[in-house]
Amino acid sequence: MFEVLSVMIVLVFIVVLISIIASIVSRGKHGNAAENSRQQTLQQQQRLFQEEQLRQQQEQVRLLEEQARMHHQMFEEQNRINQQMDHFH
């Protein structure tokens, strides 16, 4: 009878240990899932930030091109005015 009781105690102890280990592993998986979700969120925010940077850089290029075009027009206009002035003198 004592042997059966000790075997049952050992079996209960083993079951408790297995359940504790399973609980720890389960928490680890949930932790990994939370970490993966956090990583995905960070990557998505980084991608959105990079897209916004690219959009701003494209806008800067557009503005610089427009500024260069206006400077060119002003230069052309100034040349035309200078030629007219030379023509009068």
Side-chain angles (χ1 to χ4, degrees):
M1 186 71 184
F2 182 74
E3 290 176 3
V4 172
L5 188 61
S6 65
V7 168
M8 288 182 66
I9 290 174
V10 168
L11 286 177
V12 167
F13 182 71
I14 290 173
V15 168
V16 168
L17 275 178
I18 289 174
S19 66
I20 289 172
I21 290 171
S23 172
I24 291 170
V25 168
S26 174
R27 276 193 210 137
K29 286 183 180 174
H30 288 310
N32 280 347
E35 179 64 21
N36 289 345
S37 176
R38 191 178 72 81
Q39 286 290 333
Q40 286 177 341
T41 300
L42 286 173
Q43 288 171 350
Q44 186 177 19
Q45 288 174 340
Q46 186 176 21
R47 185 174 44 81
L48 290 172
F49 178 73
Q50 289 171 340
E51 287 173 359
E52 177 62 19
Q53 274 187 319
L54 177 62
R55 189 193 65 72
Q56 288 180 1
Q57 288 171 346
Q58 288 171 336
E59 178 66 10
Q60 285 178 335
V61 168
R62 187 190 68 76
L63 290 172
L64 287 171
E65 287 172 343
E66 185 177 331
Q67 186 179 26
R69 195 169 37 254
M70 291 177 70
H71 282 187
H72 181 72
Q73 287 175 349
M74 287 172 42
F75 178 76
E76 291 292 322
E77 183 66 19
Q78 188 63 48
N79 275 346
R80 191 181 62 75
I81 291 171
N82 288 344
Q83 286 175 354
Q84 286 179 349
M85 295 298 282
D86 287 345
H87 184 71
F88 287 122
H89 290 106

